[in-house]
Amino acid sequence: MIHPTAIVSPNADIGQNVSIGPFCIVEDDVRIGEGCVLHSHACVRAGTVLGKNARVGAFTAIGGEPQDLGFDTSVKSGVIVGDGAVFHEGVTVHRATKPGEHTRIGENCLLMSYAHMGHDSVVADRVIIASGALLGGHAHIEDYAFISGNVAVHQGCLVGESAMISGNVAISMDVPPFCNVAVRNMVAGLNLIGLRRRKFPTETILEIKRCYFKVFGDTGSPVKYAQEELDNNPNLSPQAKRFLQFFVNKRHGIVRPLQRYKGSAAAEE
């Protein structure tokens, strides 16, 4: 189902039951999976791979050249999109900067209107990126994270699993898993709503909460406290271990709480 006004390269690989709307552009070296829908004026640039049942909104552009002054336009790179991803109108996703590399979007992600993904960034599965949010190049967003409207994530930053970034916040440091950021580079507690929506057991949520207060509960090094907790509690849940390991393996500076909690009494509240 290709509209007569669409421009589709004969060298593009188009799967079964694909719908390509009016004035769309599909360039060479593009693969579009079974059941995909491209709405009017969508542009899918060379080197892009769309998984099955992806939906691309009007005026969305996937696979554009990186906004990098040093980029060599002859480099062949691309974008890989997982099954079930949805792009609303005006979304832009730029391809990678190095030969053979890809900007990546996982399965069942939702990118709302006018969101932007910079070159070489990686978005894992079931991530939501709300309207007007911006990801700088080489940003990494883990599973189930929620990036609210008009958020700006600085290049190279890591946002952990099930983290929630509140609207209009700028991030220039890494965000631990399961946390809620409400002010620039400052944590405002755990994303408890997100944890419950994922149906984690109450015991697991309490364990993550205890680890949160352990790591952020004093003026010392979160990395030190995280390593101590891992060493002293080998039977932690996978989620709690993931939270602590984030600090041990940190790539950049890590966001800090609005308040520093002290003592076991605070941890029990």
Side-chain angles (χ1 to χ4, degrees), residues 11-185:
N11 297 319
D13 182 359
I14 310 297
Q16 296 182 342
N17 301 316
V18 169
S19 175
I20 300 178
F23 303 104
C24 290
I25 297 176
V26 179
E27 295 185 345
D28 290 345
D29 192 28
V30 165
R31 297 206 309 270
I32 298 180
E34 177 182 346
C36 287
V37 176
L38 275 61
H39 293 280
S40 66
H41 297 87
C43 180
V44 184
R45 306 291 298 274
T48 298
V49 178
L50 296 181
K52 296 179 182 179
N53 301 312
R55 302 207 320 265
V56 181
F59 296 98
T60 286
I62 301 178
E65 291 181 359
Q67 296 174 147
D68 182 336
L69 291 173
F71 179 67
D72 179 356
T73 57
S74 67
V75 166
K76 290 189 175 182
S77 58
V79 175
I80 295 179
V81 177
D83 296 348
V86 175
F87 303 84
H88 282 276
E89 62 274 13
V91 172
T92 52
V93 181
H94 289 171
R95 63 189 176 101
T97 54
K98 296 181 180 179
E101 296 295 327
H102 296 84
T103 301
R104 295 179 180 271
I105 301 171
E107 296 183 359
N108 299 304
C109 290
L110 171 61
L111 281 76
M112 299 184 192
S113 56
Y114 304 102
H116 170 72
M117 275 187 64
H119 59 82
D120 302 283
S121 50
V122 176
V123 169
D125 296 339
R126 299 184 182 277
V127 170
I128 296 176
I129 302 177
S131 297
L134 310 173
L135 304 185
H138 300 276
H140 191 145
I141 315 297
E142 294 187 339
D143 294 342
Y144 291 93
F146 192 112
I147 311 297
S148 299
N150 298 317
V151 165
V153 178
H154 193 269
Q155 62 185 25
C157 286
L158 171 61
V159 176
E161 177 186 345
S162 282
M164 168 102 176
I165 314 298
S166 297
N168 300 308
V169 170
I171 295 295
S172 60
M173 304 176 80
D174 290 350
V175 178
F178 315 120
C179 287
N180 180 20
V181 175
V183 181
R184 180 184 176 91
N185 291 333

Side-chain angles (χ1 to χ4, degrees), residues 142-144 160-162 175-178 195 198 200 204 207-208 211 226 230 236-249:
E142 294 187 339
D143 294 342
Y144 291 93
E161 177 186 345
S162 282
V175 178
F178 315 120
L195 294 173
R198 291 188 62 185
F200 287 140
T204 297
E207 194 172 55
I208 295 170
C211 290
L230 286 168
L236 289 169
S237 67
Q239 291 76 23
K241 288 181 179 178
R242 193 170 302 127
F243 175 81
L244 296 168
Q245 201 67 49
F246 183 94
F247 296 88
V248 176
N249 297 337

